[in-house]
């Protein structure tokens, strides 16, 4: 330990958003950056460890949470019995009077007894000094490494205490909303490397047998949530035909059936046009009345909707009152987040193949949509389609492409 170099810094951990990743399914439960390299003889410093990157999809929310140990400790503290408010503190014994004290001290000690007491006092003081030194050494050894059989003297211990590097300020709690491709944030800082023994040399001490320990890295617990970001978000009541529409126009393959709440997780597909232009479109879990109060899939649905560039209302023309269904959708969106219904939108009236019932309902829907368009001061087009038979779907896609392009141009 005459010429040992400094140790390298431990690896930092970053979280990175990438549009190339579309799911959180490939993430591990635990990530650990590597240690920095150790110093070596001839003043060779150890290498700093490379940073680690956790790559997540664009649209991921990253929140720091308490560890399981912290949660368990909080529960234990909460369960501890509390002292009753009316408990009376125990009274201390009354102090002795002067006469009582004098009475107890009437016995005169011999010279031998006084010498024994003095010797015992000196031994106790020496024991306390030795214990203090041991504790100081234990504390110092948490930060420094000593050459074998080397025990630092009191002056050296005092010097080493002054050389302990100050602790870095704690990092702020992690709470990130990763909305841009390539966005990169530091979430855990790597520990600092230790100093080799040349760092502690001086004119008086040429080759000290001392090196400092590297700093331990920190650890945190994170909760990740993916909020889907797509060009188009399909909005509709359960069984309105969103999944069928998505499967006909994209490469996505959502589960399709004739009962409510078929789609329990967002599906994102890509519409590919003949000129190689693409649009991403998301089929988000079906909305029900009261979703803004977290009824049904509630907030799990609405958190995805707010990120879509354009909304497409999928309305079932076979429903009892499709105009009312449209009002329910708009009401839930607006009550969840004011202004959400003002997003550029298109109304796709699905199941137009149902004959006279579909025609009658289409007229009522068009009237309702026109009234909303006037109230919002924006254009709102209704396009009847049959997703199942792929009728008029091309017309809807043409309108959708123009709407997305215009919206992105205006942003």
């Amino acid at each position: 330990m005459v010429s040992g170099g400094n140790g390298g810094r431990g690896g930092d951990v970053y979280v990175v958003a990438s549009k190339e990743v579309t799911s959180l399914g490939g993430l591990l439960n635990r990530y650990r950056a590597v240690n920095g390299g150790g110093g070596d003889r001839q003043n060779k410093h150890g290498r700093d460890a490379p940073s680690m990157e956790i790559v997540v999809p664009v649209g991921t929310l990253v929140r720091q949470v308490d560890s399981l140990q912290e949660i368990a400790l909080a529960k234990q503290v909460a369960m501890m019995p509390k002292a009753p408010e009316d408990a009376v503190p125990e009274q201390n014994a009354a102090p002795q009077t002067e006469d009582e004290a004098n009475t107890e001290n009437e016995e005169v000690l011999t010279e031998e007894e006084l010498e024994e007491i003095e010797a015992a006092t000196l031994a106790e003081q020496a024991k306390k000094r030795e214990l203090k030194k041991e504790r100081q050494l234990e504390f110092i050894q948490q930060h420094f490494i000593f050459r074998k059989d080397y025990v630092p003297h009191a002056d050296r211990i005092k010097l080493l205490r002054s050389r302990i590097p100050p602790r870095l300020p704690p990092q702020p709690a992690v709470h990130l909303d990763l909305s841009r491709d390539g966005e990169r944030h530091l979430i855990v800082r790597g520990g600092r490397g230790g100093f080799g023994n040349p760092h502690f040399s001086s004119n008086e001490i040429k080759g000290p047998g001392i090196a400092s320990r590297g700093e331990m890295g920190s650890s945190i617990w994170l909760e990740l949530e993916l909020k889907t970001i797509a060009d188009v978000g399909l909005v509709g009541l359960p069984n309105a035909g969103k999944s069928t529409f998505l499967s006909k126009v994209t490469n996505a393959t959502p589960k399709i059936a004739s009962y409510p709440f078929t789609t329990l997780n967002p599906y994102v597909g890509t519409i590919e046009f003949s000129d190689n232009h693409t649009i991403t479109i998301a089929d988000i879990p079906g909305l029900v009345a009261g979703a803004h109060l977290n009824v049904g899939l509630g907030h799990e649905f609405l958190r995805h909707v707010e990120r879509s560039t354009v909304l497409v209302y999928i309305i079932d023309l076979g429903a009892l009152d499709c105009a009312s269904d449209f009002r329910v959708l708009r009401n839930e969106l607006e009550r969840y987040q004011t202004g959400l219904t003002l997003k550029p939108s298109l109304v796709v009236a699905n199941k137009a193949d149902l004959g006279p019932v579909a025609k009658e309902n289409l007229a009522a829907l068009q009237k309702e949509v026109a009234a909303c368009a006037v109230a919002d001061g924006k254009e709102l087009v209704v396009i009847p389609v049959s997703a199942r038979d792929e009728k008029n779907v091309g017309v809807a896609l043409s309108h959708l492409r123009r709407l997305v392009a215009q919206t992105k141009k205006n942003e």
Side-chain angles (χ1 to χ4, degrees):
M1 296 180 66
V2 177
S3 57
N6 299 334
R9 180 182 178 85
D12 296 328
V13 181
Y14 289 82
V15 62
V16 182
S18 172
K19 64 181 181 181
E20 303 299 325
V21 180
T22 59
S23 170
L24 298 174
L27 296 180
L28 304 177
N29 290 329
R30 183 186 297 268
Y31 287 88
R32 181 188 178 96
V34 298
N35 295 328
D40 207 345
R41 297 178 180 178
Q42 299 179 352
N43 285 324
K44 293 181 180 179
H45 299 318
R47 290 181 179 273
D48 290 343
S51 298
M52 169 178 284
E53 291 188 343
I54 303 174
V55 184
V56 299
V58 175
T60 299
L61 294 180
V62 183
R63 290 183 292 266
Q64 186 173 339
V65 297
D66 291 335
S67 67
L68 296 179
Q69 292 84 352
E70 290 171 326
I71 294 173
L73 179 60
K75 288 182 177 179
Q76 289 178 0
V77 172
M79 295 175 63
M80 290 178 62
K82 297 181 180 180
E85 296 181 358
D86 57 349
V88 179
E90 183 179 351
Q91 298 294 328
N92 293 327
Q96 287 182 320
T97 65
E98 186 175 352
D99 291 339
E100 290 173 336
N102 290 336
T103 301
E104 290 184 1
N105 296 329
E106 284 180 357
E107 183 180 352
V108 179
L109 300 176
T110 64
E111 186 175 345
E112 292 181 357
E113 290 173 331
L114 289 173
E115 290 177 354
E116 289 178 1
I117 292 175
E118 184 179 1
T121 302
L122 292 175
E124 184 66 23
Q125 290 175 348
K127 184 177 180 181
K128 287 182 178 180
R129 286 195 297 271
E130 189 65 27
L131 182 60
K132 181 180 179 181
K133 183 179 178 180
E134 290 178 3
R135 289 176 176 174
Q136 288 180 335
L137 186 58
E138 288 177 1
F139 173 76
I140 288 296
Q141 287 176 333
Q142 294 177 11
H143 300 274
F144 299 94
I145 305 171
F146 302 121
R147 187 177 58 227
K148 187 177 180 181
D149 299 329
Y150 173 79
V151 179
H153 296 295
D155 60 338
R156 177 56 51 145
I157 290 178
K158 184 177 180 180
L159 173 64
L160 292 178
R161 288 180 68 94
S162 67
R163 293 290 189 93
I164 296 175
R167 290 185 179 182
L168 295 174
Q171 291 181 246
V174 178
H175 195 153
L176 303 171
D177 186 352
L178 305 178
S179 57
R180 301 189 310 275
D181 181 43
E183 196 170 345
R184 186 173 184 262
H185 295 273
L186 174 68
I187 55 175
V188 178
R189 190 170 45 217
R192 293 172 294 194
F195 290 112
N197 63 314
H199 179 79
F200 303 95
S201 64
S202 63
N203 292 331
E204 294 77 18
I205 304 176
K206 302 299 184 182
I210 304 169
S212 66
R213 297 182 186 274
E215 181 185 44
M216 290 292 294
S218 57
S219 61
I220 60 174
W221 289 60
L222 297 176
E223 178 182 74
L224 305 184
E225 176 187 352
L226 178 59
K227 293 176 69 174
T228 305
I229 294 182
D231 296 322
V232 179
L234 301 183
V235 181
L237 297 176
N239 206 28
K242 301 189 311 302
S243 298
T244 302
F245 182 81
L246 183 72
S247 67
K248 298 297 183 181
V249 301
T250 72
N251 55 358
T253 56
K255 181 181 177 182
I256 300 171
S258 58
Y259 49 84
F261 296 108
T262 299
T263 307
L264 299 179
N265 296 291
Y267 282 89
V268 179
T270 302
I271 303 174
E272 298 180 359
F273 294 89
S274 57
D275 59 354
N276 294 325
H277 181 77
T278 60
I279 291 176
T280 55
I281 182 170
D283 172 23
I284 304 164
L287 187 61
V288 296
H292 70 283
L293 299 174
N294 211 19
V295 174
L297 296 176
H299 294 169
E300 296 298 322
F301 161 82
L302 292 166
R303 279 199 292 266
H304 297 285
V305 172
E306 62 182 294
R307 292 209 169 187
S308 300
T309 304
V310 171
L311 300 182
V312 173
Y313 295 91
I314 303 292
I315 305 298
D316 181 4
L317 289 180
L320 295 176
D321 190 346
C322 59
S324 175
D325 292 347
F326 180 68
R327 286 194 297 271
V328 167
L329 292 175
R330 284 175 52 87
N331 179 62
E332 293 303 324
L333 294 180
E334 195 64 24
R335 294 182 70 176
Y336 173 73
Q337 184 182 106
T338 302
L340 197 53
T341 57
L342 297 179
K343 278 182 173 287
S345 305
L346 178 68
V347 179
V348 171
N350 191 29
K351 304 182 184 180
D353 54 307
L354 296 180
V357 173
K359 291 183 179 180
E360 182 179 342
N361 286 340
L362 177 61
L365 176 62
Q366 289 172 328
K367 183 178 179 180
E368 179 67 26
V369 170
C372 292
V374 172
D376 295 343
K378 67 173 185 178
E379 182 183 14
L380 197 54
V381 178
V382 180
I383 301 178
V385 304
S386 172
R388 186 189 62 182
D389 298 334
E390 300 185 42
K391 292 182 178 179
N392 222 30
V393 172
V395 176
L397 294 183
S398 296
H399 276 79
L400 192 55
R401 176 174 177 173
R402 287 196 297 270
L403 186 59
V404 171
Q406 185 63 42
T407 302
K408 289 186 174 182
K409 181 179 180 181
N410 294 338
E411 289 180 345

